[in-house]
Amino acid sequence: MENIENSDVTLPLIVTSDGRDATLEDWMDLHSEAVPSLLSRHKALLFRGFVHPAGLNKISTLFFKERLAYTYKSTPRVNLGESIYTATEYPKQLSIPQHCENAYQHSWPMKLLFHCVEPSVKGGRTPLTDMIKVTQSIDPEIKKEFSHRKIQYVRNYRVGADLPWEEVFNTKNKENVEYFCRQNKIDYQWTETGLRTSQICQALATHPVTGDEVWFNQAHLFHISALGTADQEAMLSFFKEEGLPRNAYFGDGGPIDPIILSNVNSAFEKHKVYFDWRKDDLLLIDNMLVSHGREPYEGSRKLFVCMAEPYSATS
């Protein structure tokens, strides 16, 4: 395959058109059987310079038979229909920390496909990290403790704070919420202000194909320490700890020391790699072997994403 660049760099592998296969359909006709092994080896594939069919809805059919709905969400997105979403809709001046999608749940998508419809004028890169390297960089005692105690995610849903439960669960029907919670081992309680949920999930998980055990959770995102000092003080003053919109504990309810999560964040930071988006770039990643984030940006930026291949370590 002459149109594969930077083969000596593992993340991401850049695949470009060489003129003979100017469309992605043409390239996939020739090389689709090689995609799984390429993705397993390089963990992320960046398709660049191809002529695309209209929209991610059709593009994704080259890679997936079925897309997943984004249910029990933790970030704001726009649903574009047929399980195609915008990338997380956070204010452009903020960074989004590294994370594996839905790692705060018992089930998650194995694959993510991003489509850059419009790159930003400045900034807006999507840093990637190799989760095998991240896992190796985390203190062994921290990994041992988290693996044993697991993680409990606590969320309080109320009007005007974080996401409302109606958006998180994609329904306005309380019975539907309760059914989803029971099916997914989520404890729930209706409160005067809305809804409170808690769920105990894995801290590490084993990749079903490669057999690699990787750090796979979002404790560093949910924990109150993810906020700046001033924001932490304001949130605690207003909501008290038990009423925070989201927080993370050990699975037995014990507190997680922010110093521990500093070690985790340092491991992510150490292994970040970057690339600049170009219009119509497609990024396919293995969601267990690669984490992603977002840099602040200026101007407009339009990135769409879809998720596929559901997996649960308990299935």
Side-chain angles (χ1 to χ4, degrees), residues 30 39 43 56 64 79 104 166 178 263 265 277 288:
L30 293 172
L39 189 62
K43 308 176 183 67
L56 185 57
F64 314 128
N79 186 345
Y104 59 92
E166 294 90 342
E178 294 171 1
N263 179 270
N265 285 317
W277 284 110
M288 287 190 71

Side-chain angles (χ1 to χ4, degrees), residues 62 195 301:
L62 300 174
L195 173 66
R301 178 183 186 268

